[in-house]
């Protein structure tokens, strides 16, 4: 990793640690891994969650969420077809943002909470885009 002149040496050394990138990939997808495992272990609750948000057929949405959360996470962690893994997780996150965090249709405290969650999810999508860009650059150095 090439550091710019304004980056402190200690920070450059930490960012260049060989194990940092794999750990960061796991951390990035950790919510999806946990969510997918929980949905798989408690499938009826996962179906009820999808139905709560009006997604029908709920069992199909729950199954799709499990496949995307676990499959997409594994692809990102192992560094294979990262564009597909991160992209599918990003689409899932965008759908959940629009369905579960529709702050524009809420008021008061609920609007406050939904607005924060919406933009936290947007930041997560940006992180998924960034990890995809990193892998693309690693595969095709300029």
């Amino acid at each position: 990793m090439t550091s710019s002149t304004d980056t402190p040496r200690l920070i450059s050394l930490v960012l260049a640690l060989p194990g940092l990138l794999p750990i960061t990939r796991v951390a990035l997808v950790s919510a999806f891994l946990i969510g997918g495992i929980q949905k798989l272990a408690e499938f009826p609750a996962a179906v009820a969650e999808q139905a709560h948000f009006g997604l029908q057929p709920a069992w199909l949405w729950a199954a799709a969420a499990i496949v995307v959360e676990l499959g997409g996470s594994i692809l990102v962690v192992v560094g294979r077809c990262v564009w597909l893994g991160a992209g599918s997780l990003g689409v899932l996150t965008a759908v959940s943002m629009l369905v579960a965090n529709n702050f524009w249709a809420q008021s008061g405290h609920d609007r406050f909470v939904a607005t924060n969650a919406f933009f936290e999810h947007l930041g997560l999508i940006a992180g998924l885009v960034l990890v995809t860009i990193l892998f693309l650059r690693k595969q095709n150095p300029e």
Side-chain angles (χ1 to χ4, degrees):
M1 170 180 268
T2 306
S3 64
S4 68
T5 56
D6 64 341
T7 304
R9 179 166 165 67
L10 178 60
I11 301 300
S12 293
L13 290 172
V14 169
L15 293 175
L17 288 171
L20 186 62
L21 190 55
I23 291 169
T24 303
R25 290 194 313 260
V26 171
L28 178 64
V29 299
S30 62
F32 298 111
L33 285 169
I34 292 168
I37 291 168
Q38 285 182 320
K39 286 177 182 70
L40 188 59
E42 300 176 32
F43 191 70
V47 172
E49 177 186 42
Q50 302 305 315
H52 169 76
F53 290 113
L55 298 171
Q56 294 296 334
W59 67 268
L60 182 60
W61 282 96
I66 292 167
V67 169
V68 169
E69 286 182 338
L70 296 178
S73 295
I74 290 167
L75 290 175
V76 170
V77 169
V78 301
R80 295 280 191 213
C81 295
V82 174
W83 64 270
L84 178 60
S88 62
L89 293 170
V91 169
L92 177 71
T93 302
V95 169
S96 71
M97 284 169 55
L98 296 172
V99 171
N101 299 312
N102 57 342
F103 65 90
W104 54 88
Q106 299 178 27
S107 62
H109 181 70
D110 290 341
R111 182 184 181 108
F112 176 81
V113 171
T115 301
N116 285 336
F118 184 92
F119 286 99
E120 287 169 357
H121 283 83
L122 184 61
L124 180 55
I125 292 170
L128 292 164
V129 170
L130 286 172
V131 79
T132 305
I133 291 169
L134 282 173
F135 271 93
L136 179 63
R137 288 186 179 171
K138 182 179 175 183
Q139 290 176 343
N140 304 311
E142 295 173 4

